[in-house]
Amino acid sequence: MDVYEAVRTRQSIRRFTDQPVPHDMLVRVLTAAADAPSGSNLQPWHIYVLSGETLRQLKRRIAQRVSAGDRDDPEFAIYPAEIRSPYLERMAVLGEHRYGALGINPGDAAARASVRAENWNCFGAGTALFCYLDRDMPAPQWADAGIYLQTVMLLLRAEGLHSCTQIAWTEYHRSVAEQIPAPPRQVLFCGMSIGFADPATTHPRIPRAPLSETVTFLG
Ligand SMILES: Cc1cc2nc3c(=O)[nH]c(=O)nc-3n(C[C@H](O)[C@H](O)[C@H](O)COP(=O)(O)O)c2cc1C
């Protein structure tokens, strides 16, 4: 698979089969992903991979908390306080496609909440990774982590695997920390569900803004 195909076929998958992800595939991907660039080679990411009973326990614990309407206080802002144009419209495009594919009206809060809750079931995947950063790392190291995670996502494609990056895990960072030996100086940036895409499910592609909206060629 060439890089263009990996980029083209990567999409956030929200329904996985129960086929386990072979450990050697994950080791191959994570070994290769270590070559991702980072400012001054800090490699600021701390990655924890959960599967088997450890992940099942985490899913059960969060399911209880979701049904009790309980969640953790956020450790950082996920979006700006006010999402303005054109970001608001792009977010709406995601909502239309994501919930539209499931026949859910974006205005139906209860239905959306139950679909969102699938985040903490890893959308059926049996493997998830969690990316932590040291709390004192400023914005450039968070960007490094993003570059690293995209490298992982593209390499997963080369193995026939799919993924969904999920900041939703930060809503239950205390439960995640119960399963992960992350020291208190580390903060959970996001999780990523990993597995084989369910062929029986429609996985909508989310349209992007035209190039002219996001790229300016000068000179
Ligand atoms: C940092 C980050 C956090 C994300 N968090 C979530 C999440 O919590 N739940 C989810 O379903 N998708 C999440 N996504 C997926 C985005 O919604 C998705 O990338 C975007 O809508 C574009 O769709 P695509 O990935 O299918 O191309 C996240 C993506 C990124 C990069």
Side-chain angles (χ1 to χ4, degrees):
M1 176 179 291
D2 77 8
V3 181
Y4 279 92
E5 192 185 349
V7 171
R8 243 191 338 263
T9 62
R10 186 221 55 84
Q11 62 177 124
S12 295
I13 290 297
R14 298 188 178 88
R15 179 50 40 203
F16 295 92
T17 68
D18 55 11
Q19 185 183 343
V21 174
H23 185 69
D24 59 329
M25 273 190 187
L26 288 174
V27 171
R28 256 196 315 272
V29 164
L30 296 173
T31 302
D35 279 330
S38 56
S40 292
N41 195 34
L42 292 195
Q43 304 162 70
W45 45 83
H46 301 277
I47 305 299
Y48 301 86
V49 183
L50 268 60
S51 58
E53 187 48 29
T54 310
L55 185 59
R56 282 194 290 274
Q57 246 181 46
L58 176 60
K59 290 179 180 181
R60 281 197 298 271
R61 174 71 191 119
I62 298 187
Q64 285 166 352
R65 295 189 62 194
V66 170
S67 38
D70 171 34
R71 68 164 68 168
D72 294 322
D73 289 334
E75 297 197 280
F76 54 87
I78 290 176
Y79 297 110
E82 192 196 332
I83 306 188
R84 56 186 184 278
S85 185
Y87 313 112
L88 203 57
E89 292 83 346
R90 294 178 191 162
M91 200 181 228
V93 167
L94 168 63
E96 275 162 38
H97 285 77
R98 177 160 180 210
Y99 297 108
L102 299 166
I104 290 172
N105 179 336
D108 184 343
R112 284 176 61 139
S114 82
V115 166
R116 262 203 98 231
E118 267 300 292
N119 268 289
W120 305 293
N121 181 37
C122 296
F123 305 108
T127 299
L129 72 70
F130 294 87
C131 178
Y132 283 74
L133 289 162
D134 287 6
R135 289 177 194 276
D136 57 353
M137 292 291 177
Q141 281 74 53
W142 287 66
D144 289 342
I147 290 166
Y148 170 83
L149 292 169
Q150 170 74 335
T151 305
V152 170
M153 288 186 261
L154 297 181
L155 289 163
L156 289 170
R157 287 306 303 121
E159 298 283 350
L161 290 160
H162 273 101
S163 59
C164 184
T165 302
Q166 299 161 271
I167 209 133
W169 288 99
T170 59
E171 292 173 39
Y172 292 96
H173 61 88
R174 287 186 198 285
S175 297
V176 177
E178 283 165 14
Q179 300 293 336
I180 285 177
R185 70 166 183 282
Q186 292 176 10
V187 60
L188 175 62
F189 166 31
C190 64
M192 182 192 292
S193 297
I194 297 171
F196 294 94
D198 180 2
T201 301
T202 307
H203 307 284
R205 295 208 69 91
I206 311 303
R208 298 301 201 262
L211 201 65
S212 57
E213 258 188 43
T214 57
V215 178
T216 307
F217 292 98
L218 301 166

mmCIF file of all heavy atoms in Angstrom, residues 137-170:
data_model
loop_
_atom_site.group_PDB
_atom_site.id
_atom_site.type_symbol
_atom_site.label_atom_id
_atom_site.label_comp_id
_atom_site.label_asym_id
_atom_site.label_seq_id
_atom_site.Cartn_x
_atom_site.Cartn_y
_atom_site.Cartn_z
ATOM 1 N N MET A 137 4.395 19.791 29.048
ATOM 2 C CA MET A 137 4.729 19.937 27.626
ATOM 3 C C MET A 137 3.824 20.994 26.984
ATOM 4 O O MET A 137 2.595 20.878 27.064
ATOM 5 C CB MET A 137 4.551 18.600 26.889
ATOM 6 C CG MET A 137 5.558 17.548 27.293
ATOM 7 S SD MET A 137 7.205 17.994 26.726
ATOM 8 C CE MET A 137 8.160 16.641 27.416
ATOM 9 N N PRO A 138 4.396 22.008 26.321
ATOM 10 C CA PRO A 138 3.563 23.008 25.652
ATOM 11 C C PRO A 138 3.090 22.542 24.271
ATOM 12 O O PRO A 138 3.379 21.409 23.857
ATOM 13 C CB PRO A 138 4.504 24.216 25.553
ATOM 14 C CG PRO A 138 5.874 23.635 25.542
ATOM 15 C CD PRO A 138 5.824 22.328 26.291
ATOM 16 N N ALA A 139 2.381 23.433 23.567
ATOM 17 C CA ALA A 139 1.688 23.074 22.320
ATOM 18 C C ALA A 139 2.543 22.306 21.310
ATOM 19 O O ALA A 139 2.056 21.335 20.708
ATOM 20 C CB ALA A 139 1.083 24.321 21.689
ATOM 21 N N PRO A 140 3.809 22.666 21.068
ATOM 22 C CA PRO A 140 4.550 21.939 20.021
ATOM 23 C C PRO A 140 4.670 20.441 20.305
ATOM 24 O O PRO A 140 4.647 19.637 19.364
ATOM 25 C CB PRO A 140 5.925 22.626 20.013
ATOM 26 C CG PRO A 140 5.642 24.015 20.507
ATOM 27 C CD PRO A 140 4.575 23.845 21.550
ATOM 28 N N GLN A 141 4.773 20.055 21.570
ATOM 29 C CA GLN A 141 4.872 18.617 21.852
ATOM 30 C C GLN A 141 3.523 17.907 21.682
ATOM 31 O O GLN A 141 3.473 16.725 21.383
ATOM 32 C CB GLN A 141 5.429 18.381 23.275
ATOM 33 C CG GLN A 141 6.951 18.554 23.350
ATOM 34 C CD GLN A 141 7.383 19.998 23.279
ATOM 35 O OE1 GLN A 141 6.902 20.825 24.037
ATOM 36 N NE2 GLN A 141 8.284 20.314 22.367
ATOM 37 N N TRP A 142 2.428 18.651 21.855
ATOM 38 C CA TRP A 142 1.107 18.058 21.574
ATOM 39 C C TRP A 142 0.987 17.829 20.068
ATOM 40 O O TRP A 142 0.426 16.823 19.627
ATOM 41 C CB TRP A 142 -0.012 18.972 22.089
ATOM 42 C CG TRP A 142 -0.120 18.952 23.597
ATOM 43 C CD1 TRP A 142 0.816 19.428 24.477
ATOM 44 C CD2 TRP A 142 -1.182 18.402 24.385
ATOM 45 N NE1 TRP A 142 0.377 19.205 25.769
ATOM 46 C CE2 TRP A 142 -0.829 18.604 25.750
ATOM 47 C CE3 TRP A 142 -2.396 17.796 24.085
ATOM 48 C CZ2 TRP A 142 -1.655 18.182 26.798
ATOM 49 C CZ3 TRP A 142 -3.231 17.386 25.132
ATOM 50 C CH2 TRP A 142 -2.854 17.574 26.469
ATOM 51 N N ALA A 143 1.548 18.759 19.292
ATOM 52 C CA ALA A 143 1.551 18.558 17.833
ATOM 53 C C ALA A 143 2.395 17.338 17.480
ATOM 54 O O ALA A 143 2.013 16.529 16.622
ATOM 55 C CB ALA A 143 2.084 19.806 17.129
ATOM 56 N N ASP A 144 3.542 17.164 18.158
ATOM 57 C CA ASP A 144 4.378 15.975 17.921
ATOM 58 C C ASP A 144 3.546 14.701 18.137
ATOM 59 O O ASP A 144 3.641 13.745 17.357
ATOM 60 C CB ASP A 144 5.566 15.925 18.905
ATOM 61 C CG ASP A 144 6.630 16.990 18.639
ATOM 62 O OD1 ASP A 144 6.648 17.553 17.535
ATOM 63 O OD2 ASP A 144 7.439 17.236 19.555
ATOM 64 N N ALA A 145 2.762 14.709 19.199
ATOM 65 C CA ALA A 145 1.950 13.514 19.504
ATOM 66 C C ALA A 145 0.945 13.252 18.386
ATOM 67 O O ALA A 145 0.696 12.106 18.003
ATOM 68 C CB ALA A 145 1.237 13.673 20.848
ATOM 69 N N GLY A 146 0.383 14.347 17.824
ATOM 70 C CA GLY A 146 -0.560 14.193 16.718
ATOM 71 C C GLY A 146 0.113 13.586 15.490
ATOM 72 O O GLY A 146 -0.452 12.706 14.828
ATOM 73 N N ILE A 147 1.326 14.045 15.219
ATOM 74 C CA ILE A 147 2.068 13.512 14.070
ATOM 75 C C ILE A 147 2.348 12.026 14.294
ATOM 76 O O ILE A 147 2.199 11.191 13.397
ATOM 77 C CB ILE A 147 3.386 14.312 13.890
ATOM 78 C CG1 ILE A 147 3.068 15.725 13.405
ATOM 79 C CG2 ILE A 147 4.330 13.595 12.918
ATOM 80 C CD1 ILE A 147 4.242 16.691 13.512
ATOM 81 N N TYR A 148 2.730 11.701 15.518
ATOM 82 C CA TYR A 148 3.006 10.300 15.864
ATOM 83 C C TYR A 148 1.737 9.449 15.676
ATOM 84 O O TYR A 148 1.779 8.374 15.061
ATOM 85 C CB TYR A 148 3.492 10.226 17.321
ATOM 86 C CG TYR A 148 3.573 8.811 17.836
ATOM 87 C CD1 TYR A 148 4.696 8.021 17.579
ATOM 88 C CD2 TYR A 148 2.524 8.241 18.556
ATOM 89 C CE1 TYR A 148 4.764 6.708 18.022
ATOM 90 C CE2 TYR A 148 2.590 6.936 19.004
ATOM 91 C CZ TYR A 148 3.705 6.178 18.735
ATOM 92 O OH TYR A 148 3.766 4.873 19.164
ATOM 93 N N LEU A 149 0.609 9.963 16.164
ATOM 94 C CA LEU A 149 -0.627 9.166 16.089
ATOM 95 C C LEU A 149 -1.060 8.958 14.641
ATOM 96 O O LEU A 149 -1.547 7.882 14.275
ATOM 97 C CB LEU A 149 -1.738 9.830 16.916
ATOM 98 C CG LEU A 149 -1.486 9.809 18.431
ATOM 99 C CD1 LEU A 149 -2.484 10.709 19.160
ATOM 100 C CD2 LEU A 149 -1.559 8.381 18.982
ATOM 101 N N GLN A 150 -0.892 9.984 13.805
ATOM 102 C CA GLN A 150 -1.236 9.802 12.389
ATOM 103 C C GLN A 150 -0.302 8.766 11.754
ATOM 104 O O GLN A 150 -0.728 7.970 10.917
ATOM 105 C CB GLN A 150 -1.183 11.140 11.629
ATOM 106 C CG GLN A 150 -1.283 11.019 10.111
ATOM 107 C CD GLN A 150 -2.691 10.677 9.585
ATOM 108 O OE1 GLN A 150 -3.499 10.082 10.291
ATOM 109 N NE2 GLN A 150 -2.982 11.038 8.353
ATOM 110 N N THR A 151 0.960 8.770 12.156
ATOM 111 C CA THR A 151 1.897 7.760 11.637
ATOM 112 C C THR A 151 1.389 6.371 12.025
ATOM 113 O O THR A 151 1.363 5.446 11.194
ATOM 114 C CB THR A 151 3.311 8.013 12.208
ATOM 115 O OG1 THR A 151 3.682 9.361 11.912
ATOM 116 C CG2 THR A 151 4.326 7.068 11.603
ATOM 117 N N VAL A 152 0.954 6.230 13.262
ATOM 118 C CA VAL A 152 0.399 4.936 13.703
ATOM 119 C C VAL A 152 -0.815 4.571 12.843
ATOM 120 O O VAL A 152 -0.918 3.447 12.342
ATOM 121 C CB VAL A 152 -0.010 4.991 15.204
ATOM 122 C CG1 VAL A 152 -0.808 3.762 15.611
ATOM 123 C CG2 VAL A 152 1.223 5.160 16.092
ATOM 124 N N MET A 153 -1.710 5.540 12.638
ATOM 125 C CA MET A 153 -2.946 5.253 11.885
ATOM 126 C C MET A 153 -2.638 4.800 10.458
ATOM 127 O O MET A 153 -3.301 3.896 9.937
ATOM 128 C CB MET A 153 -3.860 6.486 11.870
ATOM 129 C CG MET A 153 -4.508 6.751 13.214
ATOM 130 S SD MET A 153 -5.720 8.095 13.117
ATOM 131 C CE MET A 153 -4.765 9.464 13.736
ATOM 132 N N LEU A 154 -1.653 5.427 9.824
ATOM 133 C CA LEU A 154 -1.323 5.047 8.443
ATOM 134 C C LEU A 154 -0.661 3.671 8.406
ATOM 135 O O LEU A 154 -0.946 2.857 7.513
ATOM 136 C CB LEU A 154 -0.430 6.106 7.793
ATOM 137 C CG LEU A 154 -1.077 7.497 7.652
ATOM 138 C CD1 LEU A 154 -0.124 8.464 6.973
ATOM 139 C CD2 LEU A 154 -2.402 7.425 6.900
ATOM 140 N N LEU A 155 0.187 3.395 9.374
ATOM 141 C CA LEU A 155 0.820 2.069 9.418
ATOM 142 C C LEU A 155 -0.224 0.982 9.706
ATOM 143 O O LEU A 155 -0.123 -0.136 9.181
ATOM 144 C CB LEU A 155 1.928 2.053 10.483
ATOM 145 C CG LEU A 155 3.178 2.869 10.109
ATOM 146 C CD1 LEU A 155 4.025 3.143 11.340
ATOM 147 C CD2 LEU A 155 3.994 2.127 9.047
ATOM 148 N N LEU A 156 -1.220 1.314 10.504
ATOM 149 C CA LEU A 156 -2.302 0.342 10.755
ATOM 150 C C LEU A 156 -2.973 -0.020 9.438
ATOM 151 O O LEU A 156 -3.312 -1.181 9.195
ATOM 152 C CB LEU A 156 -3.320 0.913 11.753
ATOM 153 C CG LEU A 156 -2.837 1.023 13.204
ATOM 154 C CD1 LEU A 156 -3.830 1.833 14.039
ATOM 155 C CD2 LEU A 156 -2.636 -0.358 13.830
ATOM 156 N N ARG A 157 -3.157 0.984 8.570
ATOM 157 C CA ARG A 157 -3.767 0.702 7.262
ATOM 158 C C ARG A 157 -2.930 -0.306 6.479
ATOM 159 O O ARG A 157 -3.454 -1.177 5.803
ATOM 160 C CB ARG A 157 -3.912 1.994 6.440
ATOM 161 C CG ARG A 157 -4.986 2.951 6.896
ATOM 162 C CD ARG A 157 -6.353 2.269 7.002
ATOM 163 N NE ARG A 157 -6.770 1.650 5.746
ATOM 164 C CZ ARG A 157 -7.050 0.339 5.579
ATOM 165 N NH1 ARG A 157 -6.946 -0.532 6.580
ATOM 166 N NH2 ARG A 157 -7.436 -0.118 4.407
ATOM 167 N N ALA A 158 -1.597 -0.140 6.557
ATOM 168 C CA ALA A 158 -0.701 -1.047 5.813
ATOM 169 C C ALA A 158 -0.857 -2.479 6.310
ATOM 170 O O ALA A 158 -0.530 -3.429 5.590
ATOM 171 C CB ALA A 158 0.742 -0.576 5.958
ATOM 172 N N GLU A 159 -1.357 -2.648 7.533
ATOM 173 C CA GLU A 159 -1.560 -3.990 8.104
ATOM 174 C C GLU A 159 -2.993 -4.479 7.890
ATOM 175 O O GLU A 159 -3.374 -5.536 8.399
ATOM 176 C CB GLU A 159 -1.260 -3.969 9.618
ATOM 177 C CG GLU A 159 0.166 -3.601 9.974
ATOM 178 C CD GLU A 159 1.158 -4.742 9.757
ATOM 179 O OE1 GLU A 159 0.725 -5.884 9.502
ATOM 180 O OE2 GLU A 159 2.375 -4.490 9.846
ATOM 181 N N GLY A 160 -3.801 -3.666 7.194
ATOM 182 C CA GLY A 160 -5.207 -4.046 6.988
ATOM 183 C C GLY A 160 -6.096 -3.675 8.165
ATOM 184 O O GLY A 160 -7.256 -4.091 8.238
ATOM 185 N N LEU A 161 -5.545 -2.895 9.086
ATOM 186 C CA LEU A 161 -6.304 -2.501 10.284
ATOM 187 C C LEU A 161 -6.864 -1.094 10.137
ATOM 188 O O LEU A 161 -6.385 -0.311 9.310
ATOM 189 C CB LEU A 161 -5.381 -2.549 11.506
ATOM 190 C CG LEU A 161 -4.959 -3.952 11.944
ATOM 191 C CD1 LEU A 161 -3.714 -3.891 12.811
ATOM 192 C CD2 LEU A 161 -6.096 -4.639 12.680
ATOM 193 N N HIS A 162 -7.846 -0.780 10.974
ATOM 194 C CA HIS A 162 -8.412 0.564 11.026
ATOM 195 C C HIS A 162 -8.364 1.074 12.459
ATOM 196 O O HIS A 162 -8.043 0.319 13.397
ATOM 197 C CB HIS A 162 -9.851 0.563 10.510
ATOM 198 C CG HIS A 162 -9.955 0.735 9.028
ATOM 199 N ND1 HIS A 162 -10.183 -0.316 8.177
ATOM 200 C CD2 HIS A 162 -9.864 1.829 8.236
ATOM 201 C CE1 HIS A 162 -10.227 0.125 6.933
ATOM 202 N NE2 HIS A 162 -10.039 1.422 6.939
ATOM 203 N N SER A 163 -8.752 2.321 12.607
ATOM 204 C CA SER A 163 -8.649 2.948 13.929
ATOM 205 C C SER A 163 -9.685 4.050 14.077
ATOM 206 O O SER A 163 -10.293 4.472 13.095
ATOM 207 C CB SER A 163 -7.250 3.557 14.090
ATOM 208 O OG SER A 163 -7.031 4.507 13.062
ATOM 209 N N CYS A 164 -9.856 4.483 15.316
ATOM 210 C CA CYS A 164 -10.594 5.723 15.572
ATOM 211 C C CYS A 164 -9.915 6.418 16.741
ATOM 212 O O CYS A 164 -9.848 5.868 17.848
ATOM 213 C CB CYS A 164 -12.069 5.465 15.907
ATOM 214 S SG CYS A 164 -13.015 7.008 16.099
ATOM 215 N N THR A 165 -9.375 7.583 16.486
ATOM 216 C CA THR A 165 -8.780 8.385 17.563
ATOM 217 C C THR A 165 -9.915 8.984 18.385
ATOM 218 O O THR A 165 -10.920 9.410 17.831
ATOM 219 C CB THR A 165 -7.906 9.505 16.962
ATOM 220 O OG1 THR A 165 -6.915 8.885 16.160
ATOM 221 C CG2 THR A 165 -7.242 10.346 18.027
ATOM 222 N N GLN A 166 -9.755 8.989 19.709
ATOM 223 C CA GLN A 166 -10.886 9.399 20.563
ATOM 224 C C GLN A 166 -10.421 10.256 21.736
ATOM 225 O O GLN A 166 -9.827 9.748 22.693
ATOM 226 C CB GLN A 166 -11.575 8.149 21.114
ATOM 227 C CG GLN A 166 -12.152 7.223 20.079
ATOM 228 C CD GLN A 166 -12.376 5.859 20.709
ATOM 229 O OE1 GLN A 166 -11.517 4.997 20.718
ATOM 230 N NE2 GLN A 166 -13.554 5.699 21.292
ATOM 231 N N ILE A 167 -10.791 11.508 21.663
ATOM 232 C CA ILE A 167 -10.528 12.389 22.800
ATOM 233 C C ILE A 167 -11.589 12.148 23.874
ATOM 234 O O ILE A 167 -11.433 12.567 25.020
ATOM 235 C CB ILE A 167 -10.469 13.867 22.336
ATOM 236 C CG1 ILE A 167 -9.541 14.653 23.253
ATOM 237 C CG2 ILE A 167 -11.823 14.493 22.251
ATOM 238 C CD1 ILE A 167 -8.562 15.509 22.559
ATOM 239 N N ALA A 168 -12.653 11.441 23.490
ATOM 240 C CA ALA A 168 -13.748 11.146 24.431
ATOM 241 C C ALA A 168 -13.238 10.448 25.702
ATOM 242 O O ALA A 168 -13.831 10.591 26.770
ATOM 243 C CB ALA A 168 -14.803 10.281 23.745
ATOM 244 N N TRP A 169 -12.118 9.720 25.563
ATOM 245 C CA TRP A 169 -11.595 9.018 26.749
ATOM 246 C C TRP A 169 -11.215 9.982 27.860
ATOM 247 O O TRP A 169 -11.173 9.593 29.034
ATOM 248 C CB TRP A 169 -10.392 8.163 26.365
ATOM 249 C CG TRP A 169 -10.781 6.955 25.577
ATOM 250 C CD1 TRP A 169 -10.712 6.812 24.226
ATOM 251 C CD2 TRP A 169 -11.310 5.717 26.074
ATOM 252 N NE1 TRP A 169 -11.161 5.568 23.863
ATOM 253 C CE2 TRP A 169 -11.534 4.887 24.976
ATOM 254 C CE3 TRP A 169 -11.612 5.256 27.361
ATOM 255 C CZ2 TRP A 169 -12.057 3.598 25.101
ATOM 256 C CZ3 TRP A 169 -12.134 3.973 27.500
ATOM 257 C CH2 TRP A 169 -12.353 3.160 26.379
ATOM 258 N N THR A 170 -10.910 11.239 27.504
ATOM 259 C CA THR A 170 -10.498 12.185 28.549
ATOM 260 C C THR A 170 -11.649 12.475 29.514
ATOM 261 O O THR A 170 -11.418 12.923 30.625
ATOM 262 C CB THR A 170 -9.997 13.513 27.935
ATOM 263 O OG1 THR A 170 -11.050 14.097 27.158
ATOM 264 C CG2 THR A 170 -8.784 13.270 27.039
#
